[in-house]
């Protein structure tokens, strides 16, 4: 039950409320309260007590209900189960935090970035781009030239795709010190050897095709500066060319030479801009069709929509520890890193546990109308919700607002399981 029954006093001792448990919980995660804030829980038609004995400080609520959800109104059995889950989760998070300090050195060794950089630089130095401007060839040499052009496009496509994929790997590791500016400059020079407009179009189409093929082979991408996980090539290309991403890049990141990355992308493909425009239009059309929703003003209608707040909360608390459990086959993974922690969760989601969660979500929603509690918008039927959960618009909102975090990754069970098991919606 999520009724309006929580009051509190602010720093000026002014009475605030009543508010729902969900709303107060959101403010708590955003660190609006300190431990001395007093709270009062007003049940059903009970009048607000003037006695100080009914008020509880945030610190006392944490001691009673745990730091994860201090405002939850559980019975003793549920409280004990929640405390057990919380303690296990805290132990796992403590272990993850101990490993974070080794992120820089371990990830460099795992990815072998220096070896990859040397290999691609040698490829660039050895690349001899054919002249595509000579139109005075006879018929025999024209046929040979066409074959050379096609071969050159494939070579250029692989070089560009290798550079971009390695750049994504650097963003996923956070090891920007290993990136060299001269590599991007050499690649830009190689791209500049094609001056004819028609040949540029052919080259760009080839580069774009090879890049998308390479990206589809990856299960996920990470961005350490933004602390986000991306599940497919569309989300990834949109993210790394977004205003939000650029705003998170520090001067140290830009000075590493990785800033040339955007210029390389712009030089050979317009796909990120096209995907971003498509995603924004889809989101605009969905909101126009179904509309937004205010959880405070429309609480009664929300009780008939899925997924419910209670289901979402239980989905996270019931499966969080199991999703973060490191299987025997992955004991050498650096779970203190964004990429390593995500690999563990994604690996568990792909198996029977992920299928079980997906089945529970399907059965809970059924034929009911749906909504997204993070974006506070209606999404139509079940398929409409799932299509929304794989959109970049949803991931942007999730990154800005309330989130569950584990080992540095943005962890929201519903979003992750749908992105893993409904790739047909991409």
């Amino acid at each position: 039950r999520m009724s309006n029954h929580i009051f509190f006093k602010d720093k000026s001792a002014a009475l605030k409320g009543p508010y729902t448990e969900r709303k107060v919980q959101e403010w708590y995660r955003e660190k609006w309260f300190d431990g001395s804030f007093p709270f009062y829980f007003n049940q059903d038609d009970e009048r607000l007590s003037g006695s100080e004995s009914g008020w509880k400080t945030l610190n006392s609520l944490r001691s009673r209900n745990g730091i994860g959800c201090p405002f939850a109104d559980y019975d003793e059995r549920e409280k004990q189960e929640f405390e057990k889950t919380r303690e296990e989760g805290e132990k796992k998070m403590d272990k993850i935090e101990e490993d974070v300090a080794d992120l820089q050195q371990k990830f460099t060794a795992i990815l072998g970035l220096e070896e990859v950089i040397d290999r691609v630089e040698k490829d660039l130095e050895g690349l001899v781009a054919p002249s595509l401007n000579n139109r005075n060839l006879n018929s025999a040499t024209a046929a040979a030239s066409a074959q050379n052009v096609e071969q050159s496009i494939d070579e250029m496509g692989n070089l560009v795709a290798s550079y971009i994929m390695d750049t994504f790997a650097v963003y996923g590791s956070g090891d920007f010190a290993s990136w060299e500016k001269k590599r991007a400059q050499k690649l830009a020079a190689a791209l500049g050897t094609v001056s004819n407009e028609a040949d540029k179009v052919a080259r760009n189409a080839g580069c774009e095709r090879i890049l998308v093929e390479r990206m589809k082979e990856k299960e996920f991408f990470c961005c350490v500066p933004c602390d986000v996980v991306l599940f497919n090539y569309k989300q990834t290309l949109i993210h790394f060319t977004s205003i939000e991403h650029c705003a998170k890049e520090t001067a140290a990141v830009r000075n590493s030479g990785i800033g040339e990355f955007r210029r390389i992308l712009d030089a050979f493909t317009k796909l990120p801009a096209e995907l971003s425009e498509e995603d924004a239009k889809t989101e605009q059309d969905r909101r126009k069709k179904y509309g937004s929703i205010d959880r405070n003003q429309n609480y009664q209608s929300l009780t008939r929509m899925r997924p419910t707040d209670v289901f979402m909360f239980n989905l996270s608390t019931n499966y969080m520890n199991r999703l973060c459990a490191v299987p025997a086959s992955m004991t050498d993974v650096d779970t203190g890193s964004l990429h390593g922690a995500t690999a563990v969760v994604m690996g568990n989601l792909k198996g029977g546990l992920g299928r079980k969660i997906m089945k529970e979500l399907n059965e809970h929603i059924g034929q009911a109308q749906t909504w997204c509690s993070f974006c506070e918008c209606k999404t139509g039927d079940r398929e409409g919700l799932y299509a929304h959960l794989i959109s970049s618009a949803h991931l942007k909102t999730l990154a800005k607002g309330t989130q569950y975090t584990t080992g540095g990754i943005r962890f929201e069970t519903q979003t992750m399981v749908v992105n893993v098991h409904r790739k047909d919606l991409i």
Side-chain angles (χ1 to χ4, degrees):
R1 184 169 57 85
M2 297 284 289
S3 61
N4 294 310
H5 69 283
I6 301 180
F7 296 80
F8 67 87
K9 293 179 181 179
D10 62 18
K11 293 184 178 180
S12 62
L15 181 65
K16 302 293 184 180
Y19 300 108
T20 63
E21 174 190 318
R22 173 70 181 231
K23 179 58 69 177
V24 177
Q25 185 69 24
E26 289 179 0
W27 291 336
Y28 169 69
R29 290 196 183 101
E30 294 170 3
K31 304 188 183 333
W32 282 28
F33 310 122
D34 61 35
S36 64
F37 262 63
F39 292 85
Y40 188 88
F41 294 79
N42 191 33
Q43 300 295 334
D44 300 323
D45 296 328
E46 176 189 349
R47 295 180 62 84
L48 181 61
S49 173
S51 171
E52 293 298 323
S53 62
W55 292 83
K56 304 292 184 183
T57 65
L58 179 56
N59 284 335
S60 66
L61 290 173
R62 285 171 172 166
S63 299
R64 188 184 71 178
N65 295 332
I67 63 173
C69 294
F71 307 102
D73 188 15
Y74 304 131
D75 61 30
E76 190 61 25
R77 180 182 59 81
E78 291 174 323
K79 175 185 171 184
Q80 291 175 355
E81 292 177 353
F82 178 80
E83 283 297 305
K84 180 180 179 181
T85 301
R86 180 185 63 78
E87 290 173 1
E88 292 174 352
E90 287 180 345
K91 290 179 181 179
K92 188 173 296 294
M93 290 179 68
D94 289 341
K95 176 61 173 65
I96 291 173
E97 289 175 355
E98 290 175 359
D99 295 336
V100 169
D102 299 328
L103 172 62
Q104 297 283 338
Q105 297 178 352
K106 289 184 178 180
F107 223 103
T108 299
I110 292 172
L111 295 177
L113 289 176
E114 293 181 357
E115 180 181 345
V116 174
I117 291 171
D118 291 340
R119 171 176 55 79
V120 176
E121 282 189 347
K122 289 179 181 178
D123 290 342
L124 285 171
E125 292 170 356
L127 177 65
V128 180
S131 174
L132 303 180
N133 296 319
N134 189 352
R135 303 305 180 191
N136 299 318
L137 301 174
N138 57 36
S139 58
T141 57
S145 177
Q147 183 177 359
N148 289 336
V149 168
E150 183 176 353
Q151 182 179 356
S152 176
I153 287 173
D154 287 339
E155 290 175 352
M156 187 68 71
N158 279 305
L159 286 172
V160 174
S162 294
Y163 168 81
I164 293 175
M165 293 297 289
D166 293 343
T167 305
F168 289 151
V170 172
Y171 273 110
S173 70
D175 184 19
F176 299 102
S178 67
W179 207 241
E180 296 180 352
K181 190 172 185 177
K182 64 180 182 179
R183 180 182 179 192
Q185 293 172 338
K186 289 180 180 180
L187 183 57
L191 289 169
T193 60
V194 181
S195 58
N196 180 272
E197 198 60 35
D199 292 330
K200 283 184 179 179
V201 172
R203 177 205 66 189
N204 291 355
C207 291
E208 185 175 288
R209 172 181 54 80
I210 294 172
L211 174 62
V212 171
E213 290 174 354
R214 295 276 294 276
M215 292 185 72
K216 286 183 176 179
E217 295 172 359
K218 296 279 290 183
E219 292 181 347
F220 64 92
F221 298 83
C222 299
C223 179
V224 169
C226 299
D227 192 23
V228 296
V229 179
L230 306 153
F231 304 95
N232 58 61
Y233 80 95
K234 290 184 178 180
Q235 295 172 0
T236 304
L237 289 175
I238 291 174
H239 171 76
F240 281 102
T241 54
S242 67
I243 296 175
E244 292 82 357
H245 168 73
C246 294
K248 292 289 182 69
E249 289 191 337
T250 64
V253 172
R254 291 190 292 270
N255 291 337
S256 70
I258 209 165
E260 300 287 333
F261 171 57
R262 284 292 301 275
R263 282 187 282 277
I264 297 298
L265 271 180
D266 292 339
F268 86 90
T269 179
K270 303 302 179 185
L271 184 59
E274 294 171 356
L275 292 174
S276 182
E277 182 179 353
E278 178 186 353
D279 190 82
K281 185 179 185 306
T282 300
E283 175 68 5
Q284 183 180 22
D285 291 344
R286 186 195 53 70
R287 285 187 176 270
K288 183 177 180 180
K289 181 177 181 180
Y290 299 112
S292 301
I293 191 165
D294 186 315
R295 65 170 61 252
N296 291 321
Q297 295 180 6
N298 305 100
Y299 177 75
Q300 290 301 323
S301 63
L302 286 179
T303 61
R304 299 187 295 272
M305 301 184 74
R306 298 291 185 272
T308 63
D309 285 332
V310 173
F311 177 84
M312 291 284 289
F313 178 81
N314 290 337
L315 195 69
S316 176
T317 55
N318 291 343
Y319 292 104
M320 182 180 295
N321 288 332
R322 294 169 67 184
L323 288 174
C324 296
V326 181
S329 59
M330 302 181 71
T331 53
D332 59 337
V333 173
D334 177 17
T335 55
S337 69
L338 177 61
H339 187 278
T342 305
V344 169
V345 174
M346 293 287 282
N348 289 329
L349 279 172
K350 287 191 303 181
L353 181 59
R355 290 190 293 272
K356 184 177 186 295
I357 297 173
M358 196 71 209
K359 180 181 179 182
E360 286 188 20
L361 184 60
N362 283 333
E363 292 175 351
H364 170 70
I365 296 174
Q367 302 300 315
Q369 290 296 295
T370 63
W371 76 305
C372 176
S373 61
F374 296 98
C375 301
E376 293 194 341
C377 61
K378 299 177 183 178
T379 51
D381 59 8
R382 184 170 63 193
E383 289 298 293
L385 171 64
Y386 293 169
H388 170 71
L389 294 176
I390 70 167
S391 70
S392 291
H394 170 71
L395 294 186
K396 288 180 181 179
T397 302
L398 190 66
K400 293 177 182 177
T402 303
Q403 67 272 336
Y404 302 97
T405 59
T406 300
I409 73 169
R410 294 199 177 280
F411 178 82
E412 200 285 295
T413 310
Q414 176 189 231
T415 300
M416 295 194 75
V417 74
V418 170
N419 273 275
V420 170
H421 287 273
R422 292 305 307 271
K423 291 187 178 296
D424 58 297
L425 295 174
I426 298 174

